[in-house]
Amino acid sequence: MFVVNCRIFELRQTDNYNKYNNAILPLMYYVFTIGFRFDYLRGFINLNNESMKRLHNAIRQKLMLLFLMGVFPFSIYGQDDKVAEVTSTYAITNVNIIQAPGRKIDLGTVLIEDGIIKAVGKSVTIPASAKVIKADSMYLYAGFIDGLSQVAVEKPKDKEREDVKDPGNPPNELAGIQPERNVRDFLKADDKSVDDWRKMGFTAAHVVPDGRMLPGSDGPILLTGTNPDEMIYSNQVSLFSQLRGAPGVYPNTVIGVMAKYRDLYRNAENAKSYKQRYDQDGVGMERPNSDRILEAFYPVIDKSIPVAFKAESVLDVQRVLTLKNDLGFNLILGEVKQGWDITDKIKAANAKVFLSLDLPEWEEKKDTVANDSVKAEPKTLSGAEKEQERLEKRKEEMIMKYYEQPALFRDQGITFGFSTLEAKSGDIKSNINKLVEKGLNEDVALAALTTSPAQLLGLSKTMGTIDQGKLANLFISDKPYFEKESNVKMVFVDGKLYEYENKPKKKKNGDEEDVDPKGDWTYSTETPQGNGSGTVKFEGGPGNYSGQLTSSFSSDTNTLSDITVDGSQVSFSFTIAVGGDALNVSVSITVDGDTFEGTMTAGSYGSFPIEGERTPKN
Amino acid sequence: MKKYIFTIILACFAFVTQAQEQGDVLIKNGTVLTVTNGTLENTDVLIKDGKISKIGKGLKAPSGASTIDASGLFVMPGIIDAHSHIALDAVNEATSPVTAEVWTGDAIDPLDVSIYRALAGGVTISHAMHGSANAVGGQSETIKHRYGTVDPEVMKMKDAPRTIKFALGENPTRVHGGGNDILPRTRMGVEAVFRNSFSEAQEYMEAWDKYNANKGKKGYKGAPPAYDLRLETLADILKGEIIIHCHSYRADEIYMLMQVCKDFGVNRLVFQHVNEGFKVAPELAEFGAMASVFSDWWAYKFEVYYSTAYNATILTENNVVTSINSDSGELIRHLYHEAAKTQKYGGLNDDLALSLITINPAKQLGIEDRVGSIEEGKDGDIAIFKNHPLSIYTIPIYTLVDGVVKFDRENDAHDMRIYTDPEEKIDVTFHQSDHSTDRCMQDTEFLFKE
């Protein structure tokens, strides 16, 4: 099983890997125990003969070897960096290599050495020092690049508005004008987001600091390393800007931000040209003031870097384009959500684009239910129901626009990547999958995650494809990535290996232990009539819960009926009197420890969010 | 400067693709209320390429033009609202008593369904104003109600003169003096803000003039003055390039601003609200200042307790160019009705009453050569009513902007929103509306301390 200097991993689509792991650990335990007993016996019986000694050493060597082979890999490949790596040479064999969009090698080998892709192909010579990863029939992709992101970036909490003497002239820190800051100062190598992003296949990200109008300079980072300097891949690639105003001080609104941006930019142009004159022949000239705010614009004015503007809505994108046209800078549009109607304008501005992976929730239609009800009862709809139907239809059409947008951009010839400033980590992979499901070509999706962001950010030489000489940023997926059920198994960032076990997905509420809602709770809800609050009390136990609910809307106490508990889901209903009619209110909540969240549905009055917490016992 | 011109040229190219829609339409056989040339019975109005090309009888529709049968209907120029805050994402940059550099043109929201509601009341142009929190507020934008676009540039009325909002009295003193304990705390302070601002702008202009005169000279070593967009804008007011629209109530303050403007050589001045305008009507006329008023709304704050529904008539009879405005997404839908009130209070004739919502607001916005009356060569902005628009029984039937039908009562869709909220909770039971909220002081709430 073991060959010196060459360890073999076998990865299969099933859980062989786990079985292997599970088998090794008890073995190690056994070996340790034997080793200990041996020493113990030796001391006790005082065995001095040479052959016994040799036997002893031989066994101990084997034990050590086993120890190295077996336990080491499993402890170092996670995030635990306490133990030095044994080798930085890896060979991923027998794997489907998607080198780049549209470029594929069936069952080939990729050799990685010292963080670089050394060889890619069908017949690659594997050096003896290589750790071989048999990724049989799995899929190898170039690591994804997040086009505009705050992965690994700490977001300082917004300060309370300080008492500013003159809100029209606040310190830059409060105004959000801090382009002299650097994202490096906000990177947190062990932030949970780093691992969250990595296990979706991201290996690099263009990160920006949190802030307002001018939050600070950006940088591409690798999703590996133990400190900010290790993570930073290269220096600033753009001047990050937002239309976000400062609370309570100037510039507070979008009109303030745009005016201030123009003012700063033109001041910077003047200051820069004066500085140039001064540098050429400063004799007799007033010394130019140094100003870090204005100097931050110099490389933009030079056109050596673009401005990266976060602009989500159709209006904000156009506002940014207006600024671009007024001032003349090169532009990256980031986190674009609504660009489908203005592709001509985006093209005319020659803007680079990152589309947001924060998409509105797609509500899958329950076809069967709808069909059944239609068949069962062809009833005529009331005016309100027709209205409801029309509004639902418009909402659906609107949602579709978001999902069709990447394909539209592709058809319009606009190169785009994806960005995640507003996206929740839990939604990103499923949103990518849904985009493909709704018609985005897989190669285009892959390009938007690899080659396009590399190109747009000037990283193409070293990232974006699986080619010899590029950074070893890649990942192994058990199935084609864009299939819903795919799982990322191993991720290499800068040649460092991260492994991910995929927990089998729980069936919805299937294995989950039922919560016990028993006790007193307080809740609050938002309805069109205003905010309400009250208490809920559950009594009894599993199978026979009972309860009462009070509400700030009425002085009645309502008795709960139909209380069911399924995993963390608790639902119940009660009846209230509205203008002489009985109205059934149903509530469905998810209990998480001592808090819950959910919705309250009151017939045709609609559904409202409800949240609550357990009343602490005295 | 060359660089700026170059970028402006680039910008023009960039927006070529977003050309405005211009319609060809023949409006047949209506009672045409031209406003500037009396009432023409059984008359046709032909609009070609978005402009009124002919007014007369028995006109033929050119090929490709559509026809509207206006028999028994009243055809009037599109209504113009000289004071509105619809179609804006931001109204007040309330953080400083002087914010001349900000511009509502940056916050135009062509998706605002209020635009369609205004069209349903025959309004084709509105003055999207900055709010009244600051003594010198932001620049405003004149928009045409070309509803149906997502492009703010399409909404803007190209080449309309620049305008800026000023404010007197309680609003600026409350926000800045009361809220932040800075100038202006009193009405005297408001005057001081104007005088300081204009003086600074004069110095700024002089400094730049001096620099520009010298910079070409051989061996000149001087530094350019610091660029300041706020002072640039104030300087443009002094140069007569921007019309001041000033929020005002009290006669003494109205008179004060006229004195300030005289001292600084500024003569393009329109007073908004101007509830005590009737007290200083001859002075306003002498200065050449104009007035944009409510028909019969006052007593909503202390400084506006003294007013009269005869205000518009008194101002008009004193030769002050007067308009009636909405300042509201609700009032904007029945400005014709607001204008009609001057017939009850003061007995203005039809043409004078209609001019309050057409040619006069056009004059106040400096666009009277293009809109505000039905004349050949003007924009094809038309409102068509069943029954006379000054009648209590009037009903808007069609509204056209640049010859394009933007409202048609017969074909009024259920849902005229351009974009919907993909995350909205749909609920047909409850309807909340904030369209009648006064937005003049929007975004300033945080400035008021307990």
Side-chain angles (χ1 to χ4, degrees):
Chain A
M1 186 175 172
F2 298 108
V3 182
V4 176
N5 284 335
C6 180
R7 258 155 279 139
I8 295 173
F9 289 77
E10 295 202 16
L11 281 171
R12 300 225 187 277
Q13 266 137 308
T14 56
D15 278 334
N16 272 1
Y17 166 67
N18 285 346
K19 284 178 199 156
Y20 173 61
N21 201 353
N22 291 343
I24 280 292
L25 289 174
L27 176 67
M28 290 317 299
Y29 174 73
Y30 170 76
V31 158
F32 265 117
T33 319
I34 299 278
F36 171 74
R37 280 195 188 144
F38 197 85
D39 278 353
Y40 172 76
L41 281 174
R42 191 184 61 156
F44 195 71
I45 308 171
N46 201 9
L47 289 170
N48 257 334
N49 104 27
E50 275 301 302
S51 63
M52 268 317 266
K53 229 183 211 170
R54 270 202 302 276
L55 177 62
H56 172 120
N57 284 342
I59 290 173
R60 204 155 64 178
Q61 262 173 11
K62 285 242 165 66
L63 290 180
M64 284 310 290
L65 196 60
L66 273 169
F67 177 70
L68 281 169
M69 309 291 136
V71 174
F72 241 31
F74 296 100
S75 59
I76 61 163
Y77 297 146
Q79 293 83 259
D80 188 352
D81 282 7
K82 281 175 198 151
V83 188
E85 281 176 276
V86 175
T87 175
S88 58
T89 306
Y90 299 88
I92 307 164
T93 64
N94 209 28
V95 67
N96 295 305
I97 307 163
I98 295 90
Q99 282 189 279
R103 196 144 61 83
K104 196 178 157 190
I105 298 171
D106 290 328
L107 302 180
T109 295
V110 169
L111 183 68
I112 298 169
E113 209 176 289
D114 300 330
I116 305 291
I117 298 171
K118 274 285 169 198
V120 184
K122 282 260 187 203
S123 49
V124 171
T125 316
I126 301 172
S129 62
K131 210 173 278 177
V132 174
I133 297 169
K134 281 191 177 179
D136 289 358
S137 307
M138 293 201 188
Y139 297 82
L140 186 68
Y141 293 88
F144 292 166
I145 302 164
D146 186 344
L148 193 61
S149 175
Q150 282 181 332
V151 59
V153 178
E154 263 193 307
K155 290 166 213 165
K157 276 204 175 135
D158 282 342
K159 278 187 198 157
E160 292 281 305
R161 185 191 167 208
E162 287 173 33
D163 250 342
V164 186
K165 212 167 172 213
D166 177 4
N169 195 17
N172 282 330
E173 186 197 3
L174 291 180
I177 301 172
Q178 302 162 288
E180 76 284 4
R181 299 197 307 183
N182 191 324
V183 73
R184 199 182 289 234
D185 298 329
F186 302 95
L187 285 178
K188 204 168 158 244
D190 58 354
D191 195 81
K192 186 177 170 292
S193 64
V194 177
D195 203 48
D196 287 345
W197 256 245
R198 207 163 40 208
K199 67 186 173 203
M200 291 185 283
F202 287 95
T203 56
H206 170 218
V207 291
V208 291
D210 195 50
R212 300 189 183 280
M213 179 177 159
L214 288 158
S217 70
D218 59 352
I221 60 164
L222 298 175
L223 297 183
T224 185
T226 55
N227 63 58
D229 286 344
E230 281 179 27
M231 300 179 85
I232 285 280
Y233 177 72
S234 70
N235 286 326
Q236 190 180 15
V237 295
S238 66
L239 177 67
F240 181 51
S241 307
Q242 307 186 97
L243 292 175
R244 187 169 174 225
V249 297
Y250 187 88
N252 170 242
T253 56
V254 69
I255 50 178
V257 170
M258 288 179 73
K260 186 68 187 174
Y261 208 89
R262 291 188 181 102
D263 189 88
L264 286 172
Y265 197 93
R266 289 180 179 149
N267 261 303
E269 284 179 326
N270 289 354
K272 183 170 178 290
S273 74
Y274 186 69
K275 178 80 168 54
Q276 261 164 357
R277 271 172 60 203
Y278 186 83
D279 288 347
Q280 273 163 20
D281 180 16
V283 181
M285 284 174 76
E286 223 178 295
R287 183 179 68 88
N289 287 329
S290 180
D291 183 325
R292 288 184 297 170
I293 310 287
L294 299 183
E295 282 159 18
F297 283 93
Y298 289 5
V300 171
I301 295 165
D302 275 347
K303 303 275 171 78
S304 56
I305 60 168
V307 174
F309 241 114
K310 177 183 173 188
E312 298 173 52
S313 71
V314 65
L315 298 180
D316 278 352
V317 173
Q318 292 180 94
R319 286 175 187 135
V320 168
L321 292 174
T322 299
L323 280 181
K324 182 233 150 54
N325 289 324
D326 284 357
L327 302 172
F329 50 77
N330 290 334
L331 177 63
I332 295 176
L333 286 166
E335 204 62 10
V336 174
K337 290 182 178 172
Q338 300 178 327
W340 53 83
D341 281 326
I342 47 170
T343 50
D344 285 349
K345 269 181 141 180
I346 292 171
K347 271 201 280 193
N350 210 10
K352 299 171 176 180
V353 180
F354 291 106
L355 299 176
S356 176
L357 280 175
D358 178 25
L359 300 168
E361 205 171 319
W362 183 270
E363 286 162 29
E364 292 294 342
K365 271 221 173 139
K366 289 167 196 157
D367 285 340
T368 50
V369 177
N371 288 340
D372 285 353
S373 66
V374 169
K375 273 175 207 159
E377 213 179 316
K379 64 167 183 178
T380 40
L381 297 174
S382 71
E385 284 166 330
K386 276 185 199 157
E387 178 80 3
Q388 179 98 17
E389 217 168 62
R390 273 195 295 268
L391 294 171
E392 298 279 5
K393 189 164 169 268
R394 283 220 63 192
K395 181 178 166 183
E396 259 180 56
E397 286 165 1
M398 187 67 180
I399 293 173
M400 261 319 261
K401 294 273 187 191
Y402 289 80
Y403 284 87
E404 290 164 354
Q405 175 156 275
L408 175 78
F409 271 59
R410 158 74 182 187
D411 293 344
Q412 299 274 322
I414 302 173
T415 306
F416 64 91
F418 287 120
S419 60
T420 65
L421 284 179
E422 294 289 321
K424 289 195 199 87
S425 65
D427 295 339
I428 292 174
K429 181 160 189 292
S430 69
N431 281 350
I432 294 169
N433 288 349
K434 274 187 226 163
L435 286 172
V436 170
E437 199 183 309
K438 301 294 171 204
L440 180 63
N441 177 295
E442 282 186 24
D443 279 343
V444 179
L446 182 61
L449 290 160
T450 54
T451 49
S452 298
Q455 177 203 331
L456 297 175
L457 298 168
L459 304 169
S460 287
K461 277 186 183 165
T462 51
M463 290 185 214
T465 65
I466 304 179
D467 282 307
Q468 194 184 331
K470 291 215 173 177
L471 280 189
N473 286 354
L474 20 84
F475 70 89
I476 300 169
S477 176
D478 57 357
K479 294 188 183 131
Y481 186 84
F482 299 106
E483 278 180 18
K484 239 186 197 169
E485 307 297 323
S486 66
N487 293 300
V488 171
K489 291 286 200 188
M490 287 183 159
V491 182
F492 284 92
V493 190
D494 201 17
K496 280 184 204 69
L497 173 59
Y498 298 87
E499 289 185 69
Y500 295 100
E501 280 183 53
N502 310 108
K503 286 178 203 147
K505 275 190 192 137
K506 272 184 197 162
K507 276 184 197 156
K508 204 176 178 189
N509 306 338
D511 306 330
E512 211 178 346
E513 202 177 315
D514 288 345
V515 295
D516 182 6
K518 192 176 169 181
D520 293 310
W521 302 74
T522 56
Y523 72 88
S524 60
T525 177
E526 287 165 36
T527 77
Q529 286 94 347
N531 295 342
S533 60
T535 61
V536 200
K537 186 186 187 74
F538 292 101
E539 291 166 317
N544 64 343
Y545 282 110
S546 62
Q548 282 99 36
L549 177 139
T550 66
S551 152
S552 56
F553 290 123
S554 120
S555 56
D556 298 342
T557 299
N558 303 291
T559 305
L560 307 184
S561 54
D562 307 326
I563 303 173
T564 59
V565 177
D566 181 9
S568 59
Q569 305 275 323
V570 178
S571 56
F572 57 88
S573 58
F574 58 93
T575 307
I576 55 171
V578 178
D581 293 327
L583 175 71
N584 187 53
V585 181
S586 59
V587 181
S588 173
I589 54 173
T590 306
V591 177
D592 182 10
D594 287 337
T595 61
F596 68 74
E597 269 182 7
T599 50
M600 184 185 251
T601 307
S604 59
Y605 290 82
S607 320
F608 326 113
I610 179 170
E611 56 181 42
E613 58 183 28
R614 204 183 277 275
T615 313
K617 283 174 190 144
N618 301 332
Chain B
M1 200 57 210
K2 260 184 190 163
K3 196 185 247 174
Y4 297 150
I5 293 167
F6 182 65
T7 52
I8 289 163
I9 292 168
L10 272 182
C12 293
F13 274 110
F15 294 129
V16 163
T17 50
Q18 305 289 325
Q20 292 145 14
E21 225 186 326
Q22 287 165 335
D24 295 339
V25 60
L26 177 64
I27 302 162
K28 288 287 288 179
N29 210 28
T31 300
V32 179
L33 309 168
T34 64
V35 178
T36 48
N37 188 30
T39 300
L40 311 170
E41 302 287 347
N42 302 320
T43 298
D44 305 338
V45 177
L46 176 65
I47 300 171
K48 234 180 147 292
D49 299 329
K51 301 250 189 259
I52 298 169
S53 71
K54 211 161 174 68
I55 303 163
K57 290 184 198 287
L59 302 182
K60 291 255 159 15
S63 64
S66 58
T67 302
I68 292 173
D69 180 8
S71 306
L73 302 179
F74 291 83
V75 180
M76 70 171 283
I79 294 169
I80 300 170
D81 186 356
H83 189 137
S84 158
H85 304 291
I86 65 165
L88 287 179
D89 261 1
V91 173
N92 263 311
E93 175 61 44
T95 49
S96 172
V98 183
T99 55
E101 70 283 9
V102 311
W103 176 38
T104 62
D106 284 335
I108 299 293
D109 175 9
L111 309 176
D112 186 356
V113 77
S114 296
I115 303 164
Y116 183 70
R117 292 179 181 142
L119 283 163
V123 183
T124 52
I125 289 177
S126 61
H127 185 210
M129 295 188 88
H130 189 275
S132 52
N134 314 335
V136 179
Q139 299 165 72
S140 305
E141 179 69 18
T142 300
I143 58 170
K144 284 199 116 184
H145 293 172
R146 299 179 180 116
Y147 194 60
T149 179
V150 301
D151 189 344
E153 297 305 316
V154 170
M155 297 297 294
K156 291 178 185 168
M157 184 167 184
K158 288 270 149 23
D159 304 321
R162 293 162 70 192
T163 63
I164 191 164
K165 181 74 169 278
F166 276 31
L168 303 171
E170 286 180 18
N171 285 4
T173 52
R174 193 160 48 125
V175 170
H176 302 287
N180 295 319
D181 211 13
I182 56 171
L183 190 73
R185 190 181 246 306
T186 63
R187 293 172 201 270
M188 295 180 290
V190 175
E191 178 175 356
V193 170
F194 294 141
R195 290 188 182 276
N196 291 348
S197 299
F198 283 148
S199 299
E200 272 184 66
Q202 279 177 333
E203 285 168 21
Y204 181 78
M205 278 196 290
E206 281 160 20
W208 271 100
D209 286 348
K210 191 178 155 204
Y211 172 76
N212 285 328
N214 285 312
K215 70 173 179 195
K217 289 183 185 161
K218 213 179 163 199
Y220 180 67
K221 296 279 190 181
Y227 176 89
D228 189 316
L229 187 53
R230 182 174 296 170
L231 293 172
E232 291 270 334
T233 312
L234 287 162
D236 289 346
I237 298 173
L238 296 177
K239 289 179 199 158
E241 290 170 12
I242 303 179
I243 306 171
I244 298 171
H245 280 252
C246 185
H247 165 101
S248 62
Y249 296 113
R250 272 175 38 171
D252 52 352
E253 283 188 302
I254 292 165
Y255 192 72
M256 173 273 282
L257 184 58
M258 287 195 284
Q259 296 309 313
V260 172
C261 285
K262 262 186 205 159
D263 290 351
F264 286 90
V266 174
N267 53 30
R268 301 180 85 182
L269 180 57
V270 180
F271 286 96
Q272 293 285 341
H273 308 321
V274 51
N275 284 61
E276 285 186 13
F278 63 96
K279 292 183 179 177
V280 285
E283 287 80 2
L284 286 165
E286 194 203 332
F287 184 93
M290 302 185 233
S292 183
V293 304
F294 293 130
S295 58
D296 56 357
W297 189 25
W298 65 86
Y300 44 86
K301 66 175 100 170
F302 188 75
E303 63 182 346
V304 62
Y305 262 75
Y306 195 163
S307 193
T308 166
Y310 290 87
N311 199 17
T313 305
I314 294 169
L315 288 162
T316 302
E317 297 293 345
N318 279 281
N319 297 319
V320 177
V321 175
T322 304
S323 69
I324 287 185
N325 69 53
S326 77
D327 194 9
S328 142
E330 191 280 321
L331 270 183
I332 200 171
R333 297 192 291 170
H334 47 90
L335 277 172
Y336 47 87
H337 186 56
E338 297 302 299
K341 289 176 182 172
T342 58
Q343 300 196 310
K344 156 92 176 150
Y345 301 108
L348 288 187
N349 68 33
D350 285 0
D351 278 347
L352 284 176
L354 286 176
S355 65
L356 296 173
I357 52 171
T358 53
I359 192 71
N360 288 0
K363 286 175 184 167
Q364 295 174 348
L365 299 173
I367 51 176
E368 73 275 16
D369 55 334
R370 294 163 62 187
V371 289
S373 62
I374 297 184
E375 290 178 59
E376 287 175 7
K378 284 199 168 180
D379 289 3
D381 294 0
I382 303 285
I384 301 175
F385 290 81
K386 186 177 167 190
N387 299 322
H388 193 285
L390 296 170
S391 158
I392 193 72
Y393 299 110
T394 194
I395 300 169
I397 304 294
Y398 297 102
T399 307
L400 289 79
V401 180
D402 303 321
V404 179
V405 176
K406 288 290 177 187
F407 169 72
D408 174 354
R409 192 178 166 84
E410 278 292 296
N411 298 297
D412 178 28
H414 283 281
D415 187 351
M416 282 302 296
R417 293 172 301 168
I418 298 172
Y419 277 17
T420 61
D421 177 358
E423 262 138 20
E424 72 183 335
K425 271 227 150 26
I426 291 172
D427 180 350
V428 294
T429 319
F430 295 97
H431 292 285
Q432 281 182 312
S433 158
D434 64 350
H435 56 66
S436 62
T437 312
D438 176 9
R439 296 183 73 193
C440 246
M441 295 296 281
Q442 179 178 297
D443 307 327
T444 66
E445 294 80 3
F446 64 85
L447 291 160
F448 302 115
K449 289 179 181 167
E450 291 294 315

Coordinates of all heavy atoms in Angstrom, one line a residue, chain A residues 536-537 539 545-550 556-563 572-576 584-585:
Chain A
V536 N -46.4 34.6 23.1 CA -46.9 33.2 22.7 C -46.5 32.3 23.8 O -45.4 32.4 24.3 CB -46.3 32.7 21.4 CG1 -47.2 31.6 20.9 CG2 -46.1 33.7 20.4
K537 N -47.4 31.4 24.2 CA -47.1 30.5 25.3 C -47.4 29.1 24.8 O -48.5 28.8 24.2 CB -47.9 30.8 26.5 CG -47.6 30.0 27.7 CD -48.6 30.3 28.8 CE -48.3 29.6 30.2 NZ -47.2 30.3 30.8
E539 N -47.6 25.0 25.8 CA -47.6 24.1 26.9 C -47.7 22.7 26.4 O -48.0 22.5 25.2 CB -48.8 24.4 27.8 CG -48.6 25.8 28.6 CD -49.9 26.3 29.2 OE1 -51.0 26.2 28.6 OE2 -49.9 26.7 30.4
Y545 N -49.2 19.6 22.0 CA -49.0 21.0 22.4 C -50.3 21.8 22.4 O -51.2 21.5 21.6 CB -48.0 21.7 21.4 CG -46.6 21.3 21.6 CD1 -45.9 20.5 20.7 CD2 -45.9 21.7 22.7 CE1 -44.6 20.2 20.8 CE2 -44.5 21.4 22.9 CZ -43.9 20.6 21.9 OH -42.6 20.3 22.1
S546 N -50.3 22.7 23.3 CA -51.4 23.7 23.3 C -50.8 25.0 23.6 O -49.6 25.1 23.9 CB -52.4 23.4 24.4 OG -51.8 23.5 25.7
G547 N -51.5 26.1 23.4 CA -50.9 27.4 23.6 C -51.8 28.6 23.4 O -53.0 28.4 23.0
Q548 N -51.3 29.7 23.8 CA -52.1 31.0 23.7 C -51.2 32.1 23.1 O -50.0 32.0 23.2 CB -52.6 31.5 25.1 CG -53.7 30.7 25.7 CD -53.3 29.7 26.7 OE1 -52.3 29.9 27.4 NE2 -53.9 28.6 26.7
L549 N -51.9 33.0 22.5 CA -51.2 34.1 21.9 C -51.9 35.4 22.2 O -53.1 35.5 22.2 CB -51.1 34.0 20.4 CG -50.5 35.1 19.6 CD1 -49.7 34.5 18.4 CD2 -51.6 36.0 19.0
T550 N -51.1 36.4 22.6 CA -51.7 37.8 22.8 C -51.1 38.7 21.8 O -50.0 38.5 21.3 CB -51.4 38.3 24.2 OG1 -50.0 38.5 24.3 CG2 -51.9 37.4 25.3
D556 N -57.7 40.5 23.3 CA -58.1 39.1 23.5 C -56.9 38.2 23.6 O -55.8 38.5 23.1 CB -58.9 38.7 22.2 CG -60.2 39.5 22.1 OD1 -60.6 40.1 23.1 OD2 -60.7 39.5 20.9
T557 N -57.1 37.1 24.3 CA -56.1 36.0 24.3 C -56.6 35.0 23.3 O -57.8 34.5 23.4 CB -55.9 35.4 25.7 OG1 -55.5 36.5 26.5 CG2 -54.9 34.3 25.6
N558 N -55.8 34.6 22.3 CA -56.2 33.6 21.3 C -55.7 32.3 21.6 O -54.5 32.1 22.0 CB -55.7 34.1 20.0 CG -56.2 35.5 19.6 OD1 -57.4 35.7 19.4 ND2 -55.3 36.4 19.6
T559 N -56.5 31.3 21.5 CA -56.1 29.9 21.7 C -55.5 29.3 20.4 O -56.1 29.5 19.3 CB -57.2 29.0 22.2 OG1 -57.8 29.6 23.3 CG2 -56.8 27.6 22.5
L560 N -54.3 28.7 20.5 CA -53.7 28.2 19.3 C -54.2 26.8 19.0 O -54.5 26.0 19.8 CB -52.2 28.1 19.5 CG -51.4 29.3 20.0 CD1 -49.9 29.1 20.1 CD2 -51.7 30.5 19.1
S561 N -54.3 26.6 17.7 CA -54.7 25.2 17.2 C -53.7 24.8 16.2 O -52.9 25.5 15.7 CB -56.2 25.3 16.7 OG -56.2 26.3 15.6
D562 N -53.8 23.5 15.8 CA -53.0 22.9 14.8 C -51.5 23.1 15.0 O -50.8 23.5 14.1 CB -53.3 23.4 13.4 CG -54.8 23.3 13.1 OD1 -55.4 22.3 13.6 OD2 -55.4 24.1 12.4
I563 N -51.1 22.9 16.3 CA -49.6 23.2 16.5 C -48.9 21.9 16.1 O -49.1 20.8 16.5 CB -49.4 23.4 18.1 CG1 -50.3 24.6 18.5 CG2 -47.9 23.6 18.3 CD1 -50.2 24.8 20.0
F572 N -48.6 26.9 13.6 CA -49.8 26.9 14.4 C -50.8 27.9 13.8 O -50.4 28.7 12.9 CB -49.6 27.2 15.9 CG -48.9 28.5 16.1 CD1 -49.6 29.7 16.3 CD2 -47.5 28.6 16.2 CE1 -49.0 30.9 16.5 CE2 -46.8 29.8 16.5 CZ -47.6 30.9 16.6
S573 N -52.0 27.9 14.3 CA -52.9 28.9 13.8 C -53.9 29.3 14.9 O -54.0 28.7 15.9 CB -53.7 28.4 12.5 OG -54.4 27.2 12.9
F574 N -54.5 30.4 14.7 CA -55.5 30.9 15.6 C -56.6 31.8 14.8 O -56.3 32.1 13.7 CB -54.9 31.7 16.8 CG -54.1 32.9 16.3 CD1 -54.7 34.2 16.2 CD2 -52.7 32.7 16.0 CE1 -53.9 35.3 15.8 CE2 -52.0 33.8 15.6 CZ -52.6 35.1 15.5
T575 N -57.6 32.1 15.5 CA -58.7 32.8 14.8 C -59.0 34.1 15.5 O -59.0 34.2 16.7 CB -60.0 31.9 14.8 OG1 -59.7 30.6 14.3 CG2 -61.1 32.5 14.0
I576 N -59.1 35.2 14.7 CA -59.4 36.4 15.3 C -60.7 37.0 14.7 O -61.1 36.5 13.6 CB -58.3 37.5 15.2 CG1 -57.9 37.7 13.7 CG2 -57.1 37.1 16.0 CD1 -57.0 38.8 13.4
N584 N -58.9 33.4 10.0 CA -57.9 32.4 10.4 C -56.5 33.0 10.1 O -56.2 33.4 9.0 CB -58.1 31.1 9.7 CG -57.2 30.0 10.3 OD1 -57.2 29.8 11.5 ND2 -56.5 29.4 9.4
V585 N -55.7 33.0 11.2 CA -54.3 33.4 11.0 C -53.4 32.2 11.2 O -53.4 31.5 12.2 CB -53.9 34.5 12.0 CG1 -52.5 35.0 11.8 CG2 -54.9 35.7 12.0

